[in-house]
Amino acid sequence: DGYLLRTFEKVATDVLNRTNASAYLIGLVEQKNTESEGLSVRVTLNPGSEYVIKGRQPKGIFIAPDRKCIIQRAGRRGRLGVHAVELEEVESDDDVKKEASALMIQ
């Protein structure tokens, strides 16, 4: 179960289908720990459709209206966990309010 060792395209499509196109997986944060280099973190936006998700505790970078919109496969093992960073409402020069949420999954 989960998303480990699956392609980015399959995982992104799965999330898109489960959320009725309200949440988009746009990238990954992957950790790797080696004796020679220690802990390294790789952040990739759109790693490519054939990219295989791996690494220690991979995280997803999503765009969604809010955290609750992100629906993943059942089961904790291999899922991309959730930690939200939300952008606040901003007023533009023409006084039109714009709202955006950016979610980084941890």
Side-chain angles (χ1 to χ4, degrees):
D1 66 298
Y3 295 128
L4 289 176
L5 303 177
R6 300 197 187 277
T7 64
F8 183 78
E9 177 182 30
K10 287 198 185 293
V11 176
T13 302
D14 183 66
V15 171
L16 197 63
N17 290 334
R18 288 175 190 273
T19 63
N20 293 319
S22 65
Y24 295 82
L25 175 64
I26 63 165
L28 297 169
V29 178
E30 296 173 292
Q31 297 181 45
K32 185 169 85 171
N33 200 356
T34 63
E35 281 186 36
S36 60
E37 297 176 23
L39 181 66
S40 66
V41 177
R42 176 183 166 158
V43 178
T44 309
L45 293 179
N46 188 19
S49 61
E50 297 303 312
Y51 184 83
V52 176
I53 297 176
K54 53 192 177 294
R56 190 174 135 234
Q57 298 175 329
K59 300 164 181 66
I61 301 170
F62 292 81
I63 295 178
D66 61 52
R67 183 179 179 167
K68 289 181 259 177
C69 288
I70 300 168
I71 302 169
Q72 302 182 59
R73 295 180 81 141
R76 295 266 317 142
R77 187 172 176 228
R79 278 181 70 181
L80 305 170
V82 178
H83 168 74
V85 177
E86 297 182 20
L87 302 177
E88 296 177 14
E89 248 183 41
V90 230
E91 288 191 32
S92 66
D93 292 337
D94 59 357
D95 289 339
V96 177
K97 287 187 176 183
K98 296 181 180 181
E99 188 177 328
S101 293
L103 299 166
M104 184 170 145
I105 305 312
Q106 174 176 327

